[in-house]
Amino acid sequence: AQSVAQPEDQVNVAEGNPLTVKCTYSVSGNPYLFWYVQYPNRGLQFLLKYITGDNLVKGSYGFEAEFNKSQTSFHLKKPSALVSDSALYFCAVRGSSSASKIIFGSGTRLSIRP
Amino acid sequence: DTAVSQTPKYLVTQMGNDKSIKCEQNLGHDTMYWYKQDSKKFLKIMFSYNNKELIINETVPNRFSPKSPDKAHLNLHINSLELGDSAVYFCASSRDSNQPQHFGDGTRLSIL
């Protein structure tokens, strides 16, 4: 069975510091991995994805994520956090079979203090 | 030029009523979805359509019935609304099921 875990409900970081939001997954076959961000009263917005290729994926707003197959992880990172990065972040995974459906993690609230 | 639009944005109604939420996308995508986000922000897929055909139908009460009149529209009809149906419902679309999804801004359903 597929699953995705975001072990931290909340991550607090000072502006200018690096940030990491963790995600681990379990899926049959090769994973399709995604990160989305949700601002208050808005729908989710796509940040980045991994399907194949380089393990380090760069996305919108300076975010990047590293696919680690041995650790089944896909952590979201940014070298220098901005206050405007404060939002709810979702990791999502889908297996490569046609019958697979997308599953979202429980979300991590990122709070950047000035 | 909103990519995925849902109406209404807010829906307040009484238990037992029937209501519909409409969704339209102007991105030319083949796949559309309905999600439910509860008060703890958990997001769960309910339905997925590809080219007007149902491809994912999660364990959702049969009071919920999606309808796709064409590729650009996926509406959600809910019969006999219950208190537990209170949530934010999101529509989304993607080029295919492997591609990133574009979400609408949600319909906030409150059952009195």
Side-chain angles (χ1 to χ4, degrees), chain A residues 6-23:
Chain A
Q6 292 181 243
E8 301 151 318
D9 288 338
Q10 174 122 6
V11 170
N12 299 309
V13 176
E15 188 175 27
N17 282 1
L19 69 88
T20 298
V21 183
K22 294 179 181 176
C23 173

Side-chain angles (χ1 to χ4, degrees), chain B residues 2-110:
Chain B
T2 304
V4 180
S5 59
Q6 299 178 225
T7 53
K9 193 174 175 69
Y10 299 95
L11 190 48
V12 181
T13 190
Q14 297 209 326
M15 220 164 43
N17 283 352
D18 303 339
K19 290 292 177 187
S20 291
I21 306 172
K22 294 186 176 181
C23 178
E24 176 181 4
Q25 55 97 2
N26 63 5
L27 297 165
H29 287 166
D30 286 340
T31 308
M32 294 186 73
Y33 312 81
W34 275 110
Y35 289 89
K36 179 180 181 180
Q37 187 174 45
D38 64 22
S39 58
K40 294 184 178 176
K41 304 299 184 184
F42 290 123
L43 191 70
K44 189 152 190 285
I45 191 166
M46 300 172 70
F47 301 103
S48 173
Y49 270 70
N50 186 268
N51 274 321
K52 303 195 301 174
E53 287 193 23
L54 181 67
I55 55 172
I56 291 176
N57 184 354
E58 284 300 288
T59 49
V60 174
N62 57 15
R63 298 181 294 104
F64 289 79
S65 53
K67 282 191 172 51
S68 182
D70 56 59
K71 212 171 73 162
H73 295 83
L74 181 60
N75 303 324
L76 184 64
H77 188 76
I78 316 170
N79 288 331
S80 304
L81 280 157
E82 299 177 358
L83 289 175
D85 297 334
S86 294
V88 182
Y89 292 83
F90 286 100
C91 178
S93 73
S94 63
R95 196 173 301 159
D96 60 52
S97 57
N98 296 331
Q99 296 304 319
Q101 296 178 26
H102 295 248
F103 283 75
D105 281 337
T107 295
R108 283 143 191 85
L109 175 62
S110 297

